[in-house]
Amino acid sequence: MKFGYFSALLFCTVLLLSGCGARETQETVESLPPKPAAFTRKSKIEDVKHDPVFGSYGRLLFPVEDAYYSGDTLEDLGLTYYSHIDPDETLEIVNTLRERAADGQTIFYDIYTDEEKAADPAKEDTGLFFFKGVPGEKFAICNAGGAFAYVGAMQDSFPHALELSQKGYNAFALIYRPGAQTACEDLARAIRFIFDHADELEVDTDCYSLWGGSAGARMAAWLGSYGAEAFGGGDLPRPGAVIMQYTGLSEYSESDPPTYACVGDRDGIANWRVMQARLEAMQKAGIDTEFHVYSGLGHGFGLGTGTSAEGWINDAVAFWEQQMNR
């Protein structure tokens, strides 16, 4: 009889305590700040740029030079010199960055000090967007094109950086000052910044890679050919691989890093034969190269989703990984 009485008492006590715990948990959940609603294809570009979660750097997600992009919403985004812009990729990029920023992660780094920016206000419009991968993995810097007039990151570097991060690599997308010289100086500074903050960023600096499309590809190639020191970045190792898209560069040096390149056969800006000739000459000089030309494609196809170039980034990553294993 006693046993039954105490069992009932214990059961009631557990129920009482469980009820209190449930109420406390519910109150805690209700007190948390609401998770920001995801952007949609119909979200206005201006709203994305000025979303409080991005702080002062949201304006750098899209070209600072407004004349080089068109469209009011994410699905209507157009960028000068670019084709095959995929609204779903754009949406995934901004939502990924927004979610990470809302979660307290650092997704943007200044590469210049306040003093340097005060001395040269153009440096205000520079920095690195960080697409973090696996801590301790190698890093890549992706450089968008834009004819050195603007930075077309939403098509030519953000998609690549996001894809690389999803493969586990730590990827950065550089927002640089227009102009060939200043762009290369900013890339050299970005490499220096990452090396100086490698522990904080949790990146492996060995056999890093430089990626670029159009003007961004020239930046990657020039830093590979001449090194960061030639552009004020100091004495740093050269990249383990350079990944280039659609730029008709001819010059190279015998100390160039291994180079992967791809282009469309209907590119009216970067002739595929010029690119092929350069890589063949580099190969004869003993530099490891890989070249692809895709049918029916013009300039600025980015990841090439839905085109004959779709999946090219997997070949490029495999090429980079080959250099890691040498």
Side-chain angles (χ1 to χ4, degrees):
M1 204 52 134
K2 279 187 179 179
F3 179 76
Y5 171 77
F6 284 115
S7 295
L9 182 61
L10 178 61
F11 179 70
C12 291
T13 303
V14 170
L15 281 179
L16 182 61
L17 291 174
S18 298
C20 290
R23 282 196 298 275
E24 288 174 1
T25 302
Q26 183 178 359
E27 289 171 1
T28 301
V29 170
E30 290 176 352
S31 68
L32 291 174
K35 186 176 180 180
F39 295 120
T40 69
R41 290 168 63 116
K42 297 295 186 182
S43 295
K44 293 187 177 298
I45 292 171
E46 286 300 311
D47 291 342
V48 176
K49 289 165 64 174
H50 297 105
D51 191 302
V53 76
F54 293 134
S56 62
Y57 56 82
R59 62 192 177 81
L60 300 178
L61 289 165
F62 298 89
V64 175
E65 299 78 8
D66 293 352
Y68 289 97
Y69 80 87
S70 60
D72 293 327
T73 66
L74 292 178
E75 71 175 356
D76 295 330
L77 175 67
L79 294 167
T80 305
Y81 311 124
Y82 285 99
S83 62
H84 300 93
I85 297 175
D86 184 351
D88 290 329
E89 287 176 358
T90 302
L91 191 60
E92 184 180 9
I93 290 161
V94 295
N95 277 327
T96 297
L97 290 174
R98 186 189 205 189
E99 186 174 314
R100 292 181 181 182
D103 194 42
Q105 298 179 42
T106 302
I107 63 167
F108 181 81
Y109 289 91
D110 281 308
I111 57 175
Y112 291 108
T113 65
D114 290 341
E115 292 76 17
E116 289 171 318
K117 288 186 284 187
D120 182 357
K123 291 178 178 176
E124 289 278 358
D125 297 331
T126 64
L128 285 168
F129 281 94
F130 187 23
F131 293 76
K132 193 173 183 65
V134 174
E137 261 296 355
K138 300 187 187 302
F139 79 87
I141 302 178
C142 302
N143 305 280
F148 292 120
Y150 82 103
V151 181
M154 197 57 76
Q155 166 73 349
D156 223 18
S157 61
F158 289 163
H160 306 62
L162 177 59
E163 185 81 10
L164 288 170
S165 71
Q166 291 172 342
K167 294 178 182 296
Y169 295 108
N170 293 292
F172 299 85
L174 175 65
I175 308 299
Y176 56 85
R177 291 169 292 166
Q181 179 66 30
T182 51
C184 287
E185 290 172 3
D186 292 345
L187 178 53
R189 180 57 171 262
I191 300 169
R192 165 56 65 190
F193 177 88
I194 295 170
F195 268 78
D196 287 348
H197 298 85
D199 290 342
E200 171 194 343
L201 297 168
E202 298 184 298
V203 301
D204 179 0
T205 58
D206 183 50
C207 197
Y208 69 95
S209 60
L210 297 181
W211 297 58
S214 197
R218 288 179 180 257
M219 294 162 58
W222 285 331
L223 266 291
S225 294
Y226 304 113
E229 191 167 18
F231 300 100
D235 186 15
L236 292 170
R238 297 195 189 199
V242 168
I243 312 297
M244 304 173 62
Q245 289 183 274
Y246 34 76
T247 195
L249 184 67
S250 299
E251 65 190 82
Y252 69 94
S253 73
E254 293 191 357
S255 59
D256 263 53
T259 300
Y260 173 102
C262 66
V263 64
D265 65 357
R266 294 186 183 176
D267 194 322
I269 296 175
N271 188 294
W272 68 268
R273 293 180 177 84
V274 173
M275 293 185 68
Q276 184 180 49
R278 178 177 184 264
L279 264 70
E280 287 177 347
M282 292 171 69
Q283 187 75 43
K284 289 178 181 177
I287 301 166
D288 193 15
T289 68
E290 185 174 332
F291 176 73
H292 295 269
V293 59
Y294 300 108
S295 62
L297 279 185
H299 197 71
F301 54 80
L303 291 185
T305 305
T307 74
S308 58
E310 184 166 357
W312 75 264
I313 194 168
N314 297 322
D315 296 332
V317 169
F319 179 83
W320 179 24
E321 290 173 343
Q322 288 172 10
Q323 315 314 314
M324 298 177 196
N325 296 324
R326 294 192 174 186

